[in-house]
């Protein structure tokens, strides 16, 4: 079969890395980069480090307001799908690239495979929530990372084509974490620093929330490494905020460096979806700088806590961290989601059983 895969933003490169590798063993893949992320540190570094094939097409869409960005992707993807005539289209996660890929394909009557289906924050003010809802409701194959995600799809009336396969990001961790190295240039001592990431629009574009988060990071009592998403960098400058000396602002780091930074951190503070799961995987306590999470299983034993953007709430949560004795069962499969996905897509006998 000929699959056309649409990626565009940082987490999608991580997710595509294991599946693209597996898909290409059995099928023909045309890889399309929308150009949503384009800085070297937000895009090219992932293709090199994770050995992802060079995209067959880069649409070069770039940044813009939601409607303009998604609309430009939709028009370009429609033309490309008509030219490439794939048998099916693969999309990942919940970005504007996901929405455009799923919608363009569905309108051309092409079957869509949505990897990371069934996640919900139940907050429709989040652009990602709208993107995932639409992607799920137009997809033929829905690859859910957990049973709770599949249950959510069932609650919305989607039962056909749902496969609980585990989380594709666990595949990326399994394949690549051995190569992770702490950058010596940062001069960090393992277990003696905090790692933070902030990029969610609800935090970066609200001066009250962004100020609250930066204040909380400044009084943690630990050096904080904060690899800055370009959006956050821009908003800190726009609001004229300064940060405490204990916060080290650095450029976004590559995936291998990021995994090493996560694994050796004493604590992680983040509003990223992927980073919450990676923190859990490495057994590093995580404070999520949001009021809800799609990855609710990570909250169960206290390894992850929802703290919003309020400095007092964040400081209080930092005093109640789990210990290494706290249970930490595997939540999102065994790192073999890619094989299950390819098996479900057809033509290959499944080698592994269903994850529950
Ligand atoms: C997007 C996704 C979000 C995901 C995140 C991963 C949507 C709606 N949001 O958010 O779900 O968690 O990617 O990182 O799709 N910029 C640059 N260089 C780049 C990319 C972005 O400077 O290479 C700046 C631009 O000013 C841009 C802003 O960052 O306007 C936001 O980028 P955009 O892709 O629109 O959204 P993200 O916040 O990255
Ligand atoms: N990541 C990275 N470098 C960074 C920040 C994040 O490699 O400076 C990785 C992170 O380890 C995870 C993925 O990017 O695998 C998560 O992407 P992001 O936080 O941008 O998006 P989200 O998961 O919230 O959609």
């Amino acid at each position: 079969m000929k699959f056309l895969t649409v990626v565009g933003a940082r987490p999608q490169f991580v997710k595509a890395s294991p599946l693209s590798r597996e898909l290409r063993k059995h099928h023909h893949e045309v890889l399309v980069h929308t150009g949503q992320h384009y800085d070297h540190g937000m895009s090219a570094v992932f293709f090199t480090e994770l050995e992802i094939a060079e995209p067959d097409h880069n649409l070069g869409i770039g940044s813009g307001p939601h409607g303009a960005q998604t609309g430009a992707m939709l028009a370009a993807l429609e033309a490309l799908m008509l030219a490439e005539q794939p048998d099916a289209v693969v999309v990942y996660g919940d970005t504007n690239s996901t929405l455009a890929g799923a919608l363009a394909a569905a309108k051309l009557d092409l079957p869509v495979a949505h990897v990371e289906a069934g996640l919900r924050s139940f907050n429709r003010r989040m652009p990602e929530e709208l993107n995932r809802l639409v992607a799920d409701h137009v997809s033929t194959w829905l690859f859910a990372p957990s049973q709770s995600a599949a249950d959510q799809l069932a609650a919305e009336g989607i039962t056909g084509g749902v496969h609980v396969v585990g989380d594709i990001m666990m595949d990326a961790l399994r394949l690549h974490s051995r190569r992770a190295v702490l950058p010596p240039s940062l001069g960090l001592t393992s277990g003696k620093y905090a790692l933070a990431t902030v990029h969610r629009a609800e935090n970066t574009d609200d001066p009250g929330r962004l100020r609250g988060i930066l204040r909380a990071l400044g009084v943690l009592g630990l050096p904080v490494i904060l690899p800055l998403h370009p959006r956050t960098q821009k908003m800190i400058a726009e609001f004229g905020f300064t940060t405490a000396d204990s916060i080290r602002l650095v450029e976004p780091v590559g995936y291998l460096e990021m995994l090493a930074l996560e694994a050796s951190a004493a604590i992680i503070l983040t509003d990223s979806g992927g980073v919450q799961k990676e923190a859990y995987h490495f057994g590093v306590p995580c404070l999520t700088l949001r009021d809800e999470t799609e990855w609710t299983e990570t909250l169960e034993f206290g390894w992850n806590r929802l703290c919003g953007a309020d400095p007092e709430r964040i400081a209080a949560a930092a005093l109640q961290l789990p210990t290494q004795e706290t249970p930490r069962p595997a939540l999102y499969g065994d790192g073999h989601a890619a094989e299950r996905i390819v098996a479900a897509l057809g033509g290959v006998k499944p080698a592994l059983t269903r994850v529950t």
Side-chain angles (χ1 to χ4, degrees):
M1 281 171 75
K2 179 174 177 178
F3 288 93
L4 187 147
T5 298
V6 180
V7 293
R10 175 166 68 185
Q12 292 167 332
F13 311 138
V14 176
K15 293 167 197 178
S17 125
L19 184 54
S20 174
R21 186 182 290 212
E22 190 60 27
L23 202 56
R24 283 165 189 246
K25 289 185 191 162
H26 309 280
H27 300 284
H28 175 50
E29 183 187 42
V30 175
L31 186 60
V32 182
H33 188 325
T34 62
Q36 179 172 349
H37 286 176
Y38 42 86
D39 291 349
H40 178 85
M42 295 293 291
S43 174
V45 68
F46 293 88
F47 285 82
T48 315
E49 280 190 354
L50 306 186
E51 295 164 346
I52 307 167
E54 191 68 25
D56 298 283
H57 306 275
N58 189 323
L59 306 178
I61 304 292
S63 305
H66 287 274
Q69 187 186 51
T70 313
M73 289 176 190
L74 203 49
L77 284 168
E78 181 179 64
L80 194 61
M81 287 174 193
L82 285 169
E84 286 283 357
Q85 295 283 316
D87 296 304
V89 170
V90 179
V91 297
Y92 295 92
D94 54 20
T95 72
N96 288 347
S97 298
T98 316
L99 173 64
L103 205 50
K107 283 190 178 265
L108 292 173
D109 217 11
L110 290 170
V112 178
H114 184 205
V115 180
E116 210 179 78
L119 296 178
R120 298 289 180 267
S121 64
F122 303 102
N123 173 3
R124 291 209 180 181
R125 293 185 61 215
M126 269 185 97
E128 293 85 354
E129 185 76 349
L130 302 176
N131 294 345
R132 343 174 154 104
L133 274 163
V134 176
D136 282 344
H137 283 261
V138 301
S139 288
T140 302
W141 295 277
L142 297 103
F143 296 112
S146 63
Q147 188 56 47
S148 66
D151 293 344
Q152 178 56 34
L153 292 169
E156 292 175 23
I158 306 172
T159 47
V162 177
H163 303 264
V164 180
V165 292
D167 179 15
I168 195 74
M169 289 188 93
M170 294 299 119
D171 292 39
L173 277 170
R174 182 178 61 76
L175 290 172
H176 304 296
S177 57
R178 250 169 301 139
R179 289 192 291 136
V181 245
L182 208 53
S185 59
L186 290 177
L188 295 168
T189 311
S190 183
K192 302 275 186 225
Y193 66 90
L195 174 70
T197 77
V198 186
H199 75 276
R200 226 28 72 209
E202 74 208 37
N203 286 330
T204 59
D205 298 6
D206 177 334
R209 287 184 71 98
L210 188 56
R211 188 189 296 110
I213 290 170
L214 294 175
R215 278 203 184 133
L217 295 180
V219 297
L220 264 186
L222 276 174
V224 179
I225 300 294
L226 177 55
L228 269 189
H229 188 290
R231 164 183 216 119
T232 320
Q233 198 164 8
K234 197 173 82 180
M235 296 315 286
I236 289 177
E238 202 167 307
F239 296 138
F241 289 161
T242 51
T243 50
D245 290 345
S246 58
I247 304 178
R248 185 130 163 226
L249 306 175
V250 297
E251 292 292 317
V253 297
Y255 181 67
L256 299 178
E257 241 177 74
M258 186 65 181
L259 294 187
L261 284 168
E262 289 171 346
S264 296
I267 181 170
I268 293 176
L269 299 95
T270 189
D271 60 10
S272 157
V275 175
Q276 288 173 61
K277 291 177 288 169
E278 288 162 356
Y280 185 90
H281 171 84
F282 289 122
V284 176
C286 181
L287 304 185
T288 290
L289 306 167
R290 290 180 52 196
D291 300 312
E292 69 272 322
T293 178
E294 299 76 18
W295 303 98
T296 48
E297 292 86 353
T298 59
L299 301 173
E300 203 166 316
F301 297 97
W303 284 98
N304 187 13
R305 276 174 195 276
L306 291 176
C307 297
D310 170 35
E312 281 177 21
R313 201 169 150 202
I314 297 168
L319 296 174
Q320 299 174 14
L321 300 181
T323 64
Q324 289 311 316
E325 284 71 51
T326 308
R328 191 168 51 85
L331 298 176
Y332 299 114
D334 56 2
H336 288 277
E339 288 101 308
R340 294 188 187 92
I341 292 171
V342 173
L345 288 173
V348 194
K349 203 171 173 292
L352 293 145
T353 50
R354 184 173 181 273
V355 183
T356 52

